[in-house]
Amino acid sequence: MSQLIYNTFDYEVQPPRLAPDYKSTVLRAPSKPLVVVKQSLSELTGPVFGDFNLGKFDHDLTKNSIKNGEPMGERIVVHGKVMNENGRPIPNTLIEIWQANAAGRYVHKVDQHDAPLDPNFLGAGRCMTDAEGNYRFYTIKPGAYPWGNHPNAWRPNHIHFSLFGANITNRLVTQMYFPGDPLLQYDPIFLGVPPKGRELLISTFDLSITEPNFALGYRFDFVLRGHQATPFENV
Amino acid sequence: MLQTPSQTVGPYFAYGLTPEQYLYDFKSLSNNVLANPLDEANVVNVVGKVFDGNGDVIPDAMIEIWDTQHQRFGRFGTGTDPQNRFIFHTFKPTSVDGQAPHLSVIVFMRGQLIHSYTRIYFEDEVELNAQDEILSTVPVDRRDTLIASKNAAGYEFNIYMQGEKETVFFEI
């Protein structure tokens, strides 16, 4: 029986597990070499989600937690395509989204940053890709915020994403950054990615999706691990 | 095309990925009940902690499990349990595709730029474990790190990110 073999992580663009400038990796990154295993049914399957899982406003973070008014900040619309390394669109991909508010404050209970919470913005949402692998959602541009990694450390503006492709092999958690952000050059999490991969994490301003008098548009494409061009015989 | 680089899940994933568990007003897509012990026979508890290189329990890890046999997926953050454990209620898998019963595990946390893959096997499956192709790939002296121990409440499986007892993580 022939079996598709998915590519493993490409470490020319993927960060190393241990990146000492990002201090939390020192005690948390696995230290022993990973054991390379053959992909079996367990790796080549995964959970399936659908539009039926999503709430009406899950794709609109500017609306999904309104209490008494509009959320504060710069409204944006983000779109793009989810593909694999072979350029093939991945339909029905669940994209989960979370981020800080416009002031750089997370709703999370342990975030101590002295910036206001926004009663009308949770900062969480989700959407699915369509049959052509396209997705789109509305949100508020997240603010930068300080963190304790090093003196005067600030995270660049970013949106967190979690994706499920066709199986657990191409599970991806990543962050999208914004073009021209002056904090990128100081951020050890962004810089943990090899230079060849960094640009892949920066969205592009997209006038074609920018909505007049409403929201600035950004494009961000995702490329999940693909399968090797030639199916292997499983012997 | 080049893969999109992985980034850490960070410390503040809860309201986006495990909102109901952490009491945020947003619906969770997945939780730790893959099978309801009140409705189904053969449901077990799988419980464990995640330890860092100092041996301290990690209170902000997120664990996902995938049971390919029953096509069930679960997710749990260690932040709300008083002992910072992860807890799953799930079917005990049986052998599929010639492999020993196991659950696939994906580990996320602040301080991991890429998530880690591992597996949970079961200590009362001695014969099947001995024949398992994936376990056989693992050095003999590290196989125990992948095997959950049985107790009165179910199975216990601790994850050690580093150190002598470091869990085997897979490149898949």
Coordinates of all heavy atoms in Angstrom, one line a residue, chain B residues 5-74:
Chain B
P5 N 6.9 29.7 9.7 CA 7.6 29.3 11.0 C 6.6 29.2 12.1 O 5.7 30.0 12.2 CB 8.6 30.5 11.1 CG 8.8 31.1 9.8 CD 7.5 30.9 9.1
S6 N 7.0 28.3 13.0 CA 6.2 28.2 14.3 C 6.6 29.3 15.3 O 7.7 29.8 15.2 CB 6.5 26.8 14.9 OG 6.0 26.7 16.1
Q7 N 5.7 29.6 16.1 CA 5.9 30.6 17.2 C 5.3 30.0 18.5 O 4.4 29.2 18.5 CB 5.4 32.0 16.9 CG 6.0 32.6 15.7 CD 7.3 33.4 16.1 OE1 7.2 34.6 16.4 NE2 8.4 32.7 16.1
T8 N 5.8 30.6 19.6 CA 5.2 30.1 20.9 C 3.8 30.4 21.1 O 3.3 31.4 20.6 CB 6.0 30.6 22.1 OG1 5.5 30.1 23.3 CG2 6.0 32.1 22.1
V9 N 3.1 29.5 21.8 CA 1.7 29.8 22.1 C 1.6 30.9 23.2 O 0.5 31.5 23.3 CB 1.0 28.4 22.6 CG1 1.5 28.1 24.0 CG2 -0.5 28.5 22.5
G10 N 2.7 31.1 23.8 CA 2.8 32.2 24.8 C 2.0 31.9 26.1 O 1.4 30.8 26.2
P11 N 2.0 32.8 27.0 CA 1.3 32.5 28.3 C -0.2 32.8 28.3 O -0.9 32.4 29.2 CB 2.0 33.4 29.3 CG 2.5 34.6 28.5 CD 2.8 34.1 27.1
Y12 N -0.7 33.5 27.3 CA -2.0 34.0 27.3 C -3.0 33.4 26.3 O -3.8 34.1 25.8 CB -2.0 35.6 27.1 CG -1.1 36.3 28.1 CD1 -0.3 37.4 27.7 CD2 -1.1 35.9 29.4 CE1 0.5 38.1 28.6 CE2 -0.3 36.6 30.3 CZ 0.5 37.7 29.9 OH 1.3 38.4 30.8
F13 N -2.8 32.1 26.1 CA -3.6 31.4 25.1 C -5.0 31.1 25.6 O -5.9 30.8 24.8 CB -3.0 30.1 24.7 CG -2.8 29.2 25.8 CD1 -3.8 28.4 26.3 CD2 -1.5 29.1 26.5 CE1 -3.6 27.6 27.5 CE2 -1.4 28.3 27.6 CZ -2.4 27.6 28.1
A14 N -5.2 31.2 26.9 CA -6.4 30.6 27.5 C -7.7 31.1 27.0 O -8.6 30.3 26.6 CB -6.4 30.7 29.0
Y15 N -7.9 32.4 26.8 CA -9.2 32.9 26.4 C -9.5 32.6 24.9 O -10.6 32.6 24.5 CB -9.4 34.4 26.7 CG -8.4 35.3 26.1 CD1 -8.6 35.8 24.8 CD2 -7.2 35.5 26.7 CE1 -7.7 36.6 24.3 CE2 -6.3 36.4 26.1 CZ -6.5 36.9 24.9 OH -5.6 37.7 24.3
G16 N -8.4 32.3 24.2 CA -8.6 31.9 22.8 C -8.8 30.5 22.5 O -9.6 30.0 21.7
L17 N -8.0 29.6 23.3 CA -8.0 28.2 22.9 C -8.7 27.3 24.0 O -9.2 26.2 23.6 CB -6.5 27.8 22.8 CG -5.7 28.5 21.7 CD1 -4.3 27.9 21.6 CD2 -6.4 28.3 20.3
T18 N -8.7 27.7 25.2 CA -9.4 26.9 26.3 C -10.3 27.8 27.1 O -10.2 27.9 28.3 CB -8.3 26.3 27.2 OG1 -7.4 27.3 27.6 CG2 -7.6 25.2 26.5
P19 N -11.2 28.6 26.4 CA -11.9 29.7 27.2 C -12.8 29.2 28.3 O -12.8 29.8 29.4 CB -12.6 30.4 26.1 CG -12.7 29.5 24.9 CD -11.5 28.7 25.0
E20 N -13.6 28.2 28.0 CA -14.6 27.8 29.0 C -13.8 27.2 30.3 O -14.3 27.5 31.4 CB -15.6 26.8 28.5 CG -16.5 27.5 27.5 CD -17.5 26.5 26.9 OE1 -18.6 26.2 27.5 OE2 -17.2 25.9 25.8
Q21 N -12.8 26.5 30.0 CA -12.0 25.9 31.2 C -11.5 27.1 32.1 O -11.5 26.9 33.3 CB -10.8 25.1 30.6 CG -10.0 24.5 31.8 CD -8.7 24.0 31.3 OE1 -8.4 23.8 30.1 NE2 -7.8 23.8 32.3
Y22 N -11.1 28.2 31.5 CA -10.6 29.3 32.3 C -11.7 30.4 32.6 O -11.4 31.5 33.0 CB -9.4 30.0 31.6 CG -8.2 29.1 31.6 CD1 -8.0 28.0 30.8 CD2 -7.1 29.5 32.4 CE1 -6.9 27.2 30.8 CE2 -5.9 28.7 32.4 CZ -5.8 27.6 31.6 OH -4.7 26.8 31.6
L23 N -12.9 30.0 32.4 CA -14.1 30.8 32.7 C -14.2 32.1 31.9 O -14.6 33.2 32.4 CB -14.1 31.1 34.2 CG -14.2 29.9 35.1 CD1 -14.2 30.3 36.6 CD2 -15.3 29.0 34.8
Y24 N -13.7 32.1 30.7 CA -13.9 33.3 29.8 C -15.2 33.1 29.0 O -15.6 31.9 28.8 CB -12.7 33.4 28.8 CG -11.5 33.9 29.5 CD1 -10.5 33.0 29.7 CD2 -11.3 35.2 29.9 CE1 -9.3 33.3 30.4 CE2 -10.1 35.6 30.6 CZ -9.1 34.6 30.8 OH -8.0 35.0 31.4
D25 N -15.8 34.2 28.6 CA -17.1 34.1 28.0 C -17.0 33.9 26.5 O -17.2 34.8 25.7 CB -17.9 35.5 28.3 CG -19.3 35.4 27.7 OD1 -19.8 34.3 27.5 OD2 -19.9 36.5 27.6
F26 N -16.5 32.7 26.1 CA -16.3 32.4 24.7 C -16.4 30.8 24.7 O -15.8 30.2 25.6 CB -14.9 32.9 24.3 CG -14.7 32.8 22.8 CD1 -15.5 33.4 21.9 CD2 -13.5 32.2 22.3 CE1 -15.3 33.4 20.5 CE2 -13.2 32.1 21.0 CZ -14.1 32.7 20.1
K27 N -17.0 30.3 23.6 CA -17.2 28.9 23.6 C -16.0 28.1 23.3 O -15.2 28.5 22.4 CB -18.3 28.6 22.5 CG -18.8 27.1 22.5 CD -19.9 27.0 21.4 CE -20.4 25.6 21.3 NZ -19.4 24.7 20.8
S28 N -15.7 27.0 24.0 CA -14.5 26.2 23.7 C -14.9 25.2 22.6 O -16.0 24.7 22.5 CB -14.1 25.4 24.9 OG -13.6 26.2 25.9
L29 N -14.0 25.0 21.6 CA -14.3 24.0 20.6 C -13.9 22.6 21.1 O -14.4 21.6 20.6 CB -13.4 24.3 19.3 CG -13.8 25.5 18.6 CD1 -13.1 25.6 17.3 CD2 -15.3 25.5 18.2
S30 N -13.0 22.5 22.1 CA -12.6 21.2 22.6 C -12.3 21.3 24.1 O -12.0 22.4 24.5 CB -11.3 20.8 21.9 OG -11.4 20.7 20.5
N31 N -12.5 20.3 24.8 CA -12.2 20.3 26.2 C -11.5 18.9 26.5 O -11.0 18.2 25.7 CB -13.4 20.6 27.0 CG -14.5 19.6 26.8 OD1 -14.3 18.4 26.5 ND2 -15.7 20.1 27.0
N32 N -11.6 18.6 27.8 CA -10.9 17.4 28.3 C -11.8 16.1 28.4 O -11.3 15.1 28.8 CB -10.2 17.6 29.6 CG -11.2 17.9 30.7 OD1 -12.3 18.4 30.5 ND2 -10.8 17.6 31.9
V33 N -13.0 16.3 27.9 CA -13.9 15.1 28.0 C -14.1 14.6 26.6 O -14.8 15.1 25.8 CB -15.3 15.5 28.6 CG1 -16.2 14.3 28.6 CG2 -15.1 16.2 29.9
L34 N -13.3 13.6 26.3 CA -13.3 12.9 24.9 C -14.4 11.9 24.9 O -14.9 11.5 23.9 CB -12.0 12.3 24.5 CG -10.9 13.4 24.1 CD1 -10.3 14.1 25.4 CD2 -9.8 12.7 23.3
A35 N -14.7 11.4 26.1 CA -15.8 10.4 26.3 C -16.3 10.6 27.7 O -15.6 10.8 28.6 CB -15.3 9.0 26.1
N36 N -17.6 10.5 27.8 CA -18.2 10.8 29.1 C -18.3 9.5 30.0 O -18.9 8.6 29.6 CB -19.7 11.3 28.9 CG -20.2 11.9 30.2 OD1 -19.9 11.4 31.3 ND2 -21.0 12.9 30.1
P37 N -17.6 9.6 31.1 CA -17.5 8.4 31.9 C -18.9 7.9 32.4 O -19.1 6.7 32.8 CB -16.6 8.8 33.1 CG -16.5 10.3 33.1 CD -16.8 10.7 31.7
L38 N -19.9 8.8 32.4 CA -21.2 8.4 32.9 C -22.0 7.7 31.8 O -22.9 7.0 32.1 CB -22.0 9.7 33.3 CG -21.4 10.5 34.5 CD1 -22.2 11.7 34.8 CD2 -21.2 9.6 35.7
D39 N -21.6 7.9 30.5 CA -22.4 7.4 29.4 C -21.7 6.2 28.8 O -22.3 5.4 28.1 CB -22.6 8.4 28.3 CG -23.4 9.6 28.8 OD1 -24.2 9.4 29.8 OD2 -23.4 10.7 28.3
E40 N -20.4 6.1 28.9 CA -19.6 5.1 28.1 C -18.8 4.2 29.0 O -18.3 4.6 30.0 CB -18.6 5.8 27.2 CG -19.2 7.0 26.4 CD -19.7 6.6 25.0 OE1 -19.7 5.4 24.7 OE2 -20.1 7.5 24.3
A41 N -18.8 2.9 28.6 CA -17.9 2.0 29.3 C -16.5 2.2 28.8 O -16.3 2.8 27.8 CB -18.4 0.6 29.1
N42 N -15.6 1.7 29.6 CA -14.2 1.7 29.1 C -13.6 3.1 29.0 O -12.7 3.4 28.2 CB -14.0 1.0 27.8 CG -12.6 0.5 27.6 OD1 -11.9 0.2 28.5 ND2 -12.2 0.3 26.3
V43 N -14.1 4.0 29.8 CA -13.6 5.4 29.8 C -12.6 5.5 31.0 O -12.9 5.0 32.1 CB -14.7 6.5 30.0 CG1 -14.1 7.8 30.2 CG2 -15.6 6.5 28.8
V44 N -11.4 6.1 30.7 CA -10.4 6.1 31.8 C -10.0 7.6 32.0 O -10.2 8.4 31.1 CB -9.2 5.3 31.4 CG1 -9.5 3.8 31.4 CG2 -8.5 5.8 30.1
N45 N -9.4 7.9 33.2 CA -8.8 9.2 33.4 C -7.4 9.1 33.1 O -6.7 8.1 33.5 CB -9.0 9.6 34.9 CG -10.4 9.7 35.3 OD1 -11.3 10.2 34.5 ND2 -10.7 9.2 36.5
V46 N -6.9 10.0 32.3 CA -5.4 10.1 32.1 C -5.0 11.5 32.7 O -5.5 12.5 32.3 CB -5.1 10.1 30.6 CG1 -3.6 10.2 30.4 CG2 -5.6 8.8 30.0
V47 N -4.1 11.4 33.7 CA -3.8 12.6 34.5 C -2.3 12.7 34.6 O -1.6 11.7 34.7 CB -4.4 12.4 35.9 CG1 -4.0 13.6 36.8 CG2 -5.9 12.3 35.9
G48 N -1.8 14.0 34.5 CA -0.4 14.1 34.6 C 0.0 15.6 34.9 O -0.8 16.5 34.8
K49 N 1.3 15.8 35.1 CA 1.8 17.1 35.2 C 3.0 17.3 34.2 O 3.5 16.3 33.8 CB 2.4 17.3 36.7 CG 1.4 17.3 37.8 CD 2.1 17.4 39.1 CE 1.0 17.2 40.2 NZ 1.6 17.1 41.6
V50 N 3.3 18.6 34.0 CA 4.4 18.9 33.1 C 5.5 19.6 33.9 O 5.2 20.5 34.6 CB 3.9 19.8 31.9 CG1 5.0 19.9 30.9 CG2 2.7 19.3 31.3
F51 N 6.7 19.1 33.8 CA 7.8 19.6 34.6 C 8.9 20.3 33.8 O 9.2 19.8 32.7 CB 8.5 18.5 35.4 CG 7.6 17.8 36.4 CD1 6.8 16.7 36.1 CD2 7.5 18.3 37.7 CE1 6.0 16.1 37.0 CE2 6.6 17.7 38.7 CZ 5.9 16.6 38.3
D52 N 9.4 21.4 34.3 CA 10.5 22.1 33.5 C 11.9 21.5 34.0 O 11.9 20.6 34.8 CB 10.4 23.6 33.7 CG 10.8 24.1 35.1 OD1 11.3 23.3 35.9 OD2 10.5 25.3 35.4
G53 N 12.9 22.1 33.5 CA 14.3 21.6 33.7 C 14.7 21.7 35.2 O 15.7 21.1 35.6
N54 N 14.0 22.5 36.0 CA 14.3 22.6 37.4 C 13.5 21.6 38.2 O 13.6 21.6 39.4 CB 14.0 24.0 37.9 CG 15.1 25.0 37.7 OD1 16.3 24.6 37.4 ND2 14.9 26.3 37.7
G55 N 12.6 20.9 37.5 CA 11.7 20.0 38.2 C 10.5 20.7 38.8 O 9.7 20.1 39.6
D56 N 10.2 22.0 38.4 CA 9.0 22.7 38.8 C 7.9 22.4 37.9 O 8.0 22.2 36.7 CB 9.3 24.2 38.8 CG 10.3 24.6 39.8 OD1 10.4 24.0 40.9 OD2 11.1 25.6 39.6
V57 N 6.7 22.3 38.5 CA 5.5 22.0 37.7 C 5.2 23.3 36.8 O 5.2 24.4 37.3 CB 4.3 21.7 38.6 CG1 3.0 21.5 37.8 CG2 4.6 20.5 39.4
I58 N 4.8 23.0 35.6 CA 4.5 24.1 34.7 C 3.0 24.5 34.7 O 2.2 23.6 34.4 CB 5.0 23.8 33.2 CG1 6.5 23.6 33.2 CG2 4.5 24.8 32.2 CD1 7.1 23.2 31.9
P59 N 2.7 25.7 35.1 CA 1.3 26.0 35.3 C 0.6 26.6 34.1 O -0.6 26.9 34.1 CB 1.3 27.1 36.4 CG 2.6 27.8 36.2 CD 3.6 26.7 35.7
D60 N 1.4 26.8 33.0 CA 0.7 27.4 31.8 C 1.0 26.6 30.6 O 1.2 27.1 29.5 CB 1.2 28.8 31.7 CG 2.7 29.0 31.6 OD1 3.4 28.0 31.7 OD2 3.2 30.1 31.3
A61 N 1.0 25.3 30.7 CA 1.1 24.4 29.5 C -0.3 24.1 29.0 O -1.3 24.2 29.7 CB 1.8 23.1 29.9
M62 N -0.3 23.8 27.7 CA -1.5 23.3 27.1 C -1.3 22.0 26.4 O -0.3 21.9 25.6 CB -2.1 24.3 26.1 CG -3.4 23.9 25.5 SD -4.0 25.1 24.3 CE -3.2 24.6 22.8
I63 N -2.1 21.0 26.7 CA -1.9 19.7 26.2 C -3.0 19.3 25.3 O -4.2 19.5 25.6 CB -1.8 18.6 27.4 CG1 -0.8 19.0 28.4 CG2 -1.6 17.2 26.8 CD1 0.6 19.0 27.9
E64 N -2.7 18.8 24.1 CA -3.7 18.3 23.2 C -3.5 16.8 23.1 O -2.4 16.3 23.0 CB -3.7 18.9 21.9 CG -4.0 20.4 21.9 CD -4.0 21.1 20.6 OE1 -3.4 20.5 19.6 OE2 -4.5 22.2 20.5
I65 N -4.6 16.0 23.0 CA -4.5 14.6 22.8 C -5.4 14.2 21.6 O -6.4 14.8 21.3 CB -4.8 13.7 24.0 CG1 -6.2 13.8 24.4 CG2 -3.8 14.0 25.1 CD1 -6.6 12.8 25.5
W66 N -4.9 13.2 20.8 CA -5.6 12.8 19.6 C -5.7 11.2 19.7 O -4.6 10.6 19.8 CB -4.9 13.2 18.4 CG -5.4 12.6 17.1 CD1 -4.7 11.8 16.2 CD2 -6.8 12.7 16.6 NE1 -5.5 11.4 15.2 CE2 -6.8 11.9 15.4 CE3 -7.9 13.3 17.0 CZ2 -7.9 11.8 14.6 CZ3 -9.1 13.2 16.2 CH2 -9.1 12.5 15.0
D67 N -6.9 10.7 19.7 CA -7.1 9.3 19.7 C -7.6 8.9 18.3 O -8.7 9.1 17.9 CB -8.2 9.0 20.7 CG -8.6 7.5 20.7 OD1 -8.1 6.7 19.8 OD2 -9.5 7.2 21.5
T68 N -6.6 8.4 17.5 CA -7.0 8.1 16.1 C -8.0 7.0 15.9 O -8.8 7.0 15.0 CB -5.7 7.8 15.2 OG1 -6.0 7.8 13.9 CG2 -5.1 6.5 15.6
Q69 N -8.0 6.1 16.9 CA -9.0 5.0 16.8 C -10.4 5.5 16.9 O -11.3 5.1 16.1 CB -8.7 4.0 17.9 CG -9.7 2.8 17.9 CD -9.5 1.9 19.1 OE1 -8.7 2.2 20.1 NE2 -10.2 0.8 19.2
H70 N -10.6 6.3 17.9 CA -12.0 6.8 18.1 C -12.2 8.2 17.5 O -13.3 8.8 17.7 CB -12.3 6.9 19.6 CG -12.2 5.5 20.3 ND1 -11.1 5.1 21.0 CD2 -13.1 4.5 20.4 CE1 -11.2 3.9 21.4 NE2 -12.4 3.5 21.1
Q71 N -11.2 8.7 16.8 CA -11.3 10.0 16.2 C -11.8 11.1 17.2 O -12.7 11.9 17.0 CB -12.3 10.0 15.0 CG -11.9 9.0 13.9 CD -10.8 9.5 13.0 OE1 -11.0 10.4 12.3 NE2 -9.6 8.9 13.1
R72 N -11.1 11.1 18.3 CA -11.5 12.1 19.4 C -10.3 12.9 19.7 O -9.1 12.5 19.7 CB -11.9 11.3 20.7 CG -13.0 10.3 20.5 CD -14.3 11.0 20.5 NE -15.4 10.0 20.2 CZ -16.4 9.7 21.0 NH1 -16.5 10.4 22.2 NH2 -17.3 8.9 20.7
F73 N -10.6 14.2 19.9 CA -9.6 15.2 20.2 C -9.9 15.9 21.5 O -11.0 16.3 21.7 CB -9.5 16.2 19.0 CG -8.6 17.4 19.2 CD1 -7.3 17.3 19.1 CD2 -9.2 18.6 19.6 CE1 -6.4 18.4 19.3 CE2 -8.3 19.7 19.8 CZ -7.0 19.6 19.6
G74 N -8.9 16.2 22.3 CA -9.1 16.9 23.5 C -8.0 17.9 23.8 O -6.9 17.8 23.2

